[in-house]
Amino acid sequence: IPVTLKSSNAPPRTLLKTLRQSFVSLPARERSRSSSDRWDVYAGAVFAEWNPRIHVCDPFAVPNEWDVWRGADDGFAAPACVLWFTHETIYDRVYVIGELYRTRMTPEEMADAVLRMDTQLLGPMRYVDGVIDAASFADVGMGGGRANVMNRQGCRWKPSAKGAGSRIAGKSAIHARLAVRDDGYPGMVVFRTCRNLIRTLPALPYDKHNVEDIASDCEDHAVEALRIGLTRKTNRSRTIQLVGV
């Protein structure tokens, strides 16, 4: 919940003085973040640049020519999270346009929910594929992993990149997209309907043993789906017509 020093419900003068003194004592990064007269309740947040005023928008209809894909962090006892992304190429801006966040889904149930969301968000004729955490392809005795079962129902999942540094690279990709560009807008904006991503992203703390990574014991399922979706690799091919050959 943002609190501003100029709020109409300003605290008593003594508390206001304490707040200003606390502001002066903040580290440079935190002081810079708060210089817009906005205070954030999450101290030591990994994604300190997150600001719902500029990183959240109302939903809109996605143009047919924009690329659309999914990123997913699978789960059963813990929540599975699927995010839907689209990319506006003129300003190189990614929008997170949809979210599925649920526990205890079988792969068949999750596939049904994902395909329904595809149609709900984009219509029945839009091609959508996605990237899911590689562990979802591990064979658990169902003729493959959970992702394989979902693919047999038409989800078109591919495994995410897995290896040394993949989490750090994903965190860097999120930072890069949250950064404000020369036009005054960030490289990523989230539809306000993606409530769990909006709720959990600004609250994530650093890992106590690795200051470059996010703590692994927090509710990071939506941010994992975000990381996976932002770091997907695409293989694009183009068909051109040769005249006079």
Side-chain angles (χ1 to χ4, degrees), residues 38-73:
R38 179 176 174 272
W39 291 68
D40 200 293
V41 297
Y42 299 109
V46 174
F47 300 107
E49 61 270 60
W50 170 263
N51 184 342
R53 296 177 184 174
I54 61 172
H55 289 113
V56 177
C57 74
D58 292 325
F60 57 82
V62 175
N64 289 332
E65 62 270 21
W66 289 12
D67 187 23
V68 181
W69 71 97
R70 311 182 219 100
D73 181 43

Short mmCIF file of all heavy atoms in Angstrom, two decimals, residues 38-73:
data_model
loop_
_atom_site.label_atom_id
_atom_site.label_comp_id
_atom_site.label_asym_id
_atom_site.label_seq_id
_atom_site.Cartn_x
_atom_site.Cartn_y
_atom_site.Cartn_z
N ARG A 38 6.91 8.61 -2.85
CA ARG A 38 6.15 7.38 -2.70
C ARG A 38 6.93 6.43 -1.80
O ARG A 38 8.08 6.13 -2.04
CB ARG A 38 5.92 6.74 -4.07
CG ARG A 38 5.15 5.45 -3.99
CD ARG A 38 4.86 4.90 -5.38
NE ARG A 38 4.26 3.59 -5.29
CZ ARG A 38 4.94 2.46 -5.24
NH1 ARG A 38 6.25 2.49 -5.29
NH2 ARG A 38 4.33 1.30 -5.14
N TRP A 39 6.28 5.95 -0.74
CA TRP A 39 6.90 5.01 0.19
C TRP A 39 6.30 3.63 -0.04
O TRP A 39 5.11 3.49 -0.25
CB TRP A 39 6.65 5.45 1.64
CG TRP A 39 7.39 6.69 1.99
CD1 TRP A 39 7.16 7.94 1.50
CD2 TRP A 39 8.48 6.80 2.89
NE1 TRP A 39 8.04 8.83 2.04
CE2 TRP A 39 8.86 8.17 2.91
CE3 TRP A 39 9.17 5.90 3.68
CZ2 TRP A 39 9.91 8.63 3.69
CZ3 TRP A 39 10.21 6.36 4.48
CH2 TRP A 39 10.57 7.72 4.46
N ASP A 40 7.12 2.61 0.03
CA ASP A 40 6.67 1.25 -0.20
C ASP A 40 6.82 0.46 1.08
O ASP A 40 7.80 0.60 1.80
CB ASP A 40 7.52 0.60 -1.31
CG ASP A 40 6.82 -0.58 -1.92
OD1 ASP A 40 6.64 -1.58 -1.21
OD2 ASP A 40 6.46 -0.51 -3.11
N VAL A 41 5.83 -0.43 1.34
CA VAL A 41 5.85 -1.17 2.60
C VAL A 41 6.87 -2.30 2.60
O VAL A 41 7.14 -2.87 3.64
CB VAL A 41 4.45 -1.75 2.91
CG1 VAL A 41 3.45 -0.64 3.10
CG2 VAL A 41 4.00 -2.72 1.84
N TYR A 42 7.45 -2.66 1.44
CA TYR A 42 8.35 -3.80 1.36
C TYR A 42 9.80 -3.34 1.44
O TYR A 42 10.35 -2.82 0.48
CB TYR A 42 8.12 -4.57 0.05
CG TYR A 42 6.72 -5.11 -0.06
CD1 TYR A 42 5.82 -4.56 -0.97
CD2 TYR A 42 6.30 -6.16 0.75
CE1 TYR A 42 4.53 -5.06 -1.06
CE2 TYR A 42 5.02 -6.66 0.66
CZ TYR A 42 4.13 -6.10 -0.25
OH TYR A 42 2.86 -6.59 -0.34
N ALA A 43 10.40 -3.52 2.60
CA ALA A 43 11.80 -3.16 2.77
C ALA A 43 12.69 -4.27 2.21
O ALA A 43 12.43 -5.45 2.41
CB ALA A 43 12.11 -2.96 4.25
N GLY A 44 13.75 -3.89 1.50
CA GLY A 44 14.69 -4.86 0.97
C GLY A 44 14.13 -5.70 -0.15
O GLY A 44 14.60 -6.82 -0.38
N ALA A 45 13.15 -5.18 -0.88
CA ALA A 45 12.54 -5.94 -1.96
C ALA A 45 13.51 -6.11 -3.11
O ALA A 45 14.30 -5.22 -3.42
CB ALA A 45 11.28 -5.24 -2.46
N VAL A 46 13.47 -7.27 -3.77
CA VAL A 46 14.33 -7.53 -4.91
C VAL A 46 14.00 -6.59 -6.06
O VAL A 46 14.89 -5.97 -6.66
CB VAL A 46 14.18 -9.00 -5.38
CG1 VAL A 46 14.97 -9.23 -6.67
CG2 VAL A 46 14.65 -9.96 -4.29
N PHE A 47 12.72 -6.45 -6.35
CA PHE A 47 12.30 -5.62 -7.48
C PHE A 47 11.80 -4.27 -6.96
O PHE A 47 10.62 -3.94 -7.05
CB PHE A 47 11.24 -6.35 -8.29
CG PHE A 47 11.74 -7.66 -8.84
CD1 PHE A 47 11.31 -8.87 -8.30
CD2 PHE A 47 12.68 -7.69 -9.86
CE1 PHE A 47 11.79 -10.08 -8.79
CE2 PHE A 47 13.17 -8.89 -10.36
CZ PHE A 47 12.72 -10.08 -9.82
N ALA A 48 12.77 -3.51 -6.45
CA ALA A 48 12.45 -2.24 -5.82
C ALA A 48 11.90 -1.22 -6.81
O ALA A 48 11.25 -0.25 -6.42
CB ALA A 48 13.71 -1.67 -5.14
N GLU A 49 12.15 -1.42 -8.10
CA GLU A 49 11.67 -0.48 -9.09
C GLU A 49 10.19 -0.66 -9.43
O GLU A 49 9.61 0.17 -10.13
CB GLU A 49 12.50 -0.60 -10.38
CG GLU A 49 12.45 -1.97 -11.05
CD GLU A 49 13.53 -2.92 -10.57
OE1 GLU A 49 13.56 -3.22 -9.36
OE2 GLU A 49 14.34 -3.38 -11.40
N TRP A 50 9.57 -1.72 -8.93
CA TRP A 50 8.15 -1.96 -9.20
C TRP A 50 7.31 -0.80 -8.68
O TRP A 50 7.43 -0.38 -7.53
CB TRP A 50 7.70 -3.26 -8.54
CG TRP A 50 6.22 -3.46 -8.55
CD1 TRP A 50 5.34 -3.17 -7.53
CD2 TRP A 50 5.42 -3.99 -9.62
NE1 TRP A 50 4.07 -3.49 -7.89
CE2 TRP A 50 4.08 -3.98 -9.18
CE3 TRP A 50 5.71 -4.46 -10.90
CZ2 TRP A 50 3.03 -4.44 -9.97
CZ3 TRP A 50 4.67 -4.92 -11.70
CH2 TRP A 50 3.36 -4.91 -11.23
N ASN A 51 6.43 -0.30 -9.51
CA ASN A 51 5.54 0.80 -9.13
C ASN A 51 4.19 0.55 -9.81
O ASN A 51 4.09 0.64 -11.04
CB ASN A 51 6.12 2.14 -9.58
CG ASN A 51 5.28 3.32 -9.12
OD1 ASN A 51 4.11 3.18 -8.77
ND2 ASN A 51 5.86 4.50 -9.14
N PRO A 52 3.15 0.21 -9.05
CA PRO A 52 1.87 -0.10 -9.68
C PRO A 52 1.28 1.04 -10.49
O PRO A 52 0.42 0.82 -11.34
CB PRO A 52 0.97 -0.48 -8.50
CG PRO A 52 1.64 0.11 -7.29
CD PRO A 52 3.10 0.08 -7.58
N ARG A 53 1.74 2.25 -10.25
CA ARG A 53 1.24 3.39 -11.01
C ARG A 53 1.64 3.30 -12.48
O ARG A 53 0.92 3.79 -13.36
CB ARG A 53 1.76 4.70 -10.43
CG ARG A 53 1.28 4.99 -9.01
CD ARG A 53 1.92 6.26 -8.49
NE ARG A 53 1.56 6.52 -7.10
CZ ARG A 53 2.07 7.50 -6.37
NH1 ARG A 53 2.96 8.32 -6.92
NH2 ARG A 53 1.69 7.68 -5.12
N ILE A 54 2.79 2.71 -12.76
CA ILE A 54 3.26 2.64 -14.15
C ILE A 54 3.37 1.21 -14.66
O ILE A 54 3.42 1.00 -15.88
CB ILE A 54 4.62 3.34 -14.32
CG1 ILE A 54 5.69 2.68 -13.45
CG2 ILE A 54 4.51 4.83 -14.02
CD1 ILE A 54 7.10 3.20 -13.73
N HIS A 55 3.40 0.23 -13.78
CA HIS A 55 3.58 -1.17 -14.20
C HIS A 55 2.27 -1.95 -14.28
O HIS A 55 2.29 -3.14 -14.60
CB HIS A 55 4.55 -1.89 -13.26
CG HIS A 55 5.96 -1.45 -13.39
ND1 HIS A 55 6.62 -0.76 -12.39
CD2 HIS A 55 6.84 -1.56 -14.41
CE1 HIS A 55 7.86 -0.48 -12.78
NE2 HIS A 55 8.01 -0.96 -14.00
N VAL A 56 1.15 -1.31 -13.99
CA VAL A 56 -0.16 -1.97 -14.03
C VAL A 56 -1.10 -1.15 -14.90
O VAL A 56 -1.10 0.08 -14.85
CB VAL A 56 -0.75 -2.12 -12.61
CG1 VAL A 56 -2.14 -2.74 -12.66
CG2 VAL A 56 0.17 -2.94 -11.72
N CYS A 57 -1.89 -1.84 -15.72
CA CYS A 57 -2.86 -1.15 -16.58
C CYS A 57 -4.15 -1.95 -16.66
O CYS A 57 -4.20 -3.12 -16.29
CB CYS A 57 -2.28 -0.91 -17.98
SG CYS A 57 -2.19 -2.41 -19.00
N ASP A 58 -5.19 -1.30 -17.16
CA ASP A 58 -6.45 -1.99 -17.42
C ASP A 58 -6.30 -2.90 -18.64
O ASP A 58 -5.55 -2.59 -19.56
CB ASP A 58 -7.57 -0.98 -17.66
CG ASP A 58 -7.92 -0.18 -16.41
OD1 ASP A 58 -7.87 -0.77 -15.31
OD2 ASP A 58 -8.25 1.01 -16.54
N PRO A 59 -7.03 -4.01 -18.68
CA PRO A 59 -6.97 -4.90 -19.85
C PRO A 59 -7.47 -4.21 -21.12
O PRO A 59 -8.31 -3.30 -21.07
CB PRO A 59 -7.90 -6.05 -19.45
CG PRO A 59 -7.96 -6.00 -17.96
CD PRO A 59 -7.87 -4.55 -17.60
N PHE A 60 -6.93 -4.64 -22.25
CA PHE A 60 -7.40 -4.17 -23.55
C PHE A 60 -7.33 -5.34 -24.53
O PHE A 60 -6.67 -6.35 -24.25
CB PHE A 60 -6.55 -2.99 -24.05
CG PHE A 60 -5.08 -3.28 -24.15
CD1 PHE A 60 -4.53 -3.95 -25.24
CD2 PHE A 60 -4.21 -2.89 -23.12
CE1 PHE A 60 -3.17 -4.22 -25.32
CE2 PHE A 60 -2.84 -3.15 -23.19
CZ PHE A 60 -2.33 -3.82 -24.30
N ALA A 61 -8.01 -5.22 -25.66
CA ALA A 61 -7.99 -6.27 -26.66
C ALA A 61 -6.62 -6.31 -27.33
O ALA A 61 -6.09 -5.28 -27.78
CB ALA A 61 -9.08 -6.00 -27.71
N VAL A 62 -6.03 -7.50 -27.40
CA VAL A 62 -4.69 -7.67 -27.97
C VAL A 62 -4.81 -7.73 -29.50
O VAL A 62 -5.54 -8.57 -30.03
CB VAL A 62 -4.02 -8.95 -27.44
CG1 VAL A 62 -2.69 -9.19 -28.12
CG2 VAL A 62 -3.87 -8.87 -25.92
N PRO A 63 -4.10 -6.87 -30.23
CA PRO A 63 -4.16 -6.92 -31.69
C PRO A 63 -3.73 -8.28 -32.23
O PRO A 63 -2.85 -8.94 -31.66
CB PRO A 63 -3.19 -5.81 -32.11
CG PRO A 63 -3.16 -4.86 -30.95
CD PRO A 63 -3.29 -5.74 -29.74
N ASN A 64 -4.32 -8.69 -33.31
CA ASN A 64 -4.04 -10.01 -33.89
C ASN A 64 -2.59 -10.18 -34.30
O ASN A 64 -2.05 -11.29 -34.31
CB ASN A 64 -4.94 -10.26 -35.10
CG ASN A 64 -6.38 -10.49 -34.70
OD1 ASN A 64 -6.66 -10.97 -33.60
ND2 ASN A 64 -7.32 -10.14 -35.58
N GLU A 65 -1.93 -9.09 -34.68
CA GLU A 65 -0.56 -9.20 -35.18
C GLU A 65 0.48 -9.28 -34.06
O GLU A 65 1.66 -9.52 -34.32
CB GLU A 65 -0.23 -8.03 -36.11
CG GLU A 65 -0.29 -6.65 -35.46
CD GLU A 65 -1.67 -6.01 -35.56
OE1 GLU A 65 -2.65 -6.74 -35.77
OE2 GLU A 65 -1.74 -4.77 -35.43
N TRP A 66 0.09 -9.10 -32.82
CA TRP A 66 1.05 -9.20 -31.72
C TRP A 66 1.29 -10.66 -31.36
O TRP A 66 0.36 -11.46 -31.28
CB TRP A 66 0.53 -8.46 -30.49
CG TRP A 66 0.52 -6.97 -30.62
CD1 TRP A 66 0.70 -6.22 -31.75
CD2 TRP A 66 0.29 -6.03 -29.56
NE1 TRP A 66 0.60 -4.89 -31.47
CE2 TRP A 66 0.36 -4.73 -30.13
CE3 TRP A 66 0.04 -6.15 -28.19
CZ2 TRP A 66 0.18 -3.58 -29.37
CZ3 TRP A 66 -0.14 -4.99 -27.44
CH2 TRP A 66 -0.08 -3.73 -28.01
N ASP A 67 2.55 -10.99 -31.14
CA ASP A 67 2.92 -12.34 -30.70
C ASP A 67 2.38 -12.59 -29.30
O ASP A 67 2.42 -11.70 -28.44
CB ASP A 67 4.45 -12.47 -30.73
CG ASP A 67 4.92 -13.88 -30.45
OD1 ASP A 67 4.15 -14.82 -30.67
OD2 ASP A 67 6.09 -14.04 -30.04
N VAL A 68 1.88 -13.79 -29.06
CA VAL A 68 1.34 -14.17 -27.75
C VAL A 68 1.92 -15.52 -27.35
O VAL A 68 2.05 -16.41 -28.18
CB VAL A 68 -0.20 -14.25 -27.78
CG1 VAL A 68 -0.74 -14.63 -26.41
CG2 VAL A 68 -0.81 -12.94 -28.24
N TRP A 69 2.27 -15.65 -26.09
CA TRP A 69 2.80 -16.92 -25.58
C TRP A 69 2.54 -17.02 -24.08
O TRP A 69 2.05 -16.08 -23.45
CB TRP A 69 4.30 -17.04 -25.87
CG TRP A 69 5.19 -16.12 -25.07
CD1 TRP A 69 5.89 -16.42 -23.93
CD2 TRP A 69 5.48 -14.74 -25.35
NE1 TRP A 69 6.60 -15.33 -23.49
CE2 TRP A 69 6.37 -14.29 -24.34
CE3 TRP A 69 5.08 -13.84 -26.35
CZ2 TRP A 69 6.85 -12.98 -24.30
CZ3 TRP A 69 5.56 -12.53 -26.31
CH2 TRP A 69 6.44 -12.12 -25.30
N ARG A 70 2.87 -18.20 -23.53
CA ARG A 70 2.69 -18.43 -22.10
C ARG A 70 4.02 -18.74 -21.43
O ARG A 70 4.93 -19.26 -22.07
CB ARG A 70 1.76 -19.63 -21.83
CG ARG A 70 0.47 -19.68 -22.57
CD ARG A 70 -0.33 -20.92 -22.14
NE ARG A 70 -1.02 -21.53 -23.27
CZ ARG A 70 -0.59 -22.59 -23.91
NH1 ARG A 70 0.53 -23.20 -23.54
NH2 ARG A 70 -1.28 -23.07 -24.93
N GLY A 71 4.08 -18.48 -20.13
CA GLY A 71 5.17 -18.95 -19.28
C GLY A 71 4.55 -19.58 -18.05
O GLY A 71 3.57 -19.05 -17.51
N ALA A 72 5.09 -20.70 -17.59
CA ALA A 72 4.43 -21.42 -16.50
C ALA A 72 5.42 -22.01 -15.51
O ALA A 72 6.48 -22.50 -15.87
CB ALA A 72 3.55 -22.53 -17.06
N ASP A 73 5.02 -21.95 -14.25
CA ASP A 73 5.70 -22.65 -13.16
C ASP A 73 4.72 -23.70 -12.67
O ASP A 73 3.67 -23.38 -12.10
CB ASP A 73 6.06 -21.68 -12.04
CG ASP A 73 6.80 -22.36 -10.90
OD1 ASP A 73 7.70 -23.17 -11.18
OD2 ASP A 73 6.50 -22.05 -9.72
#
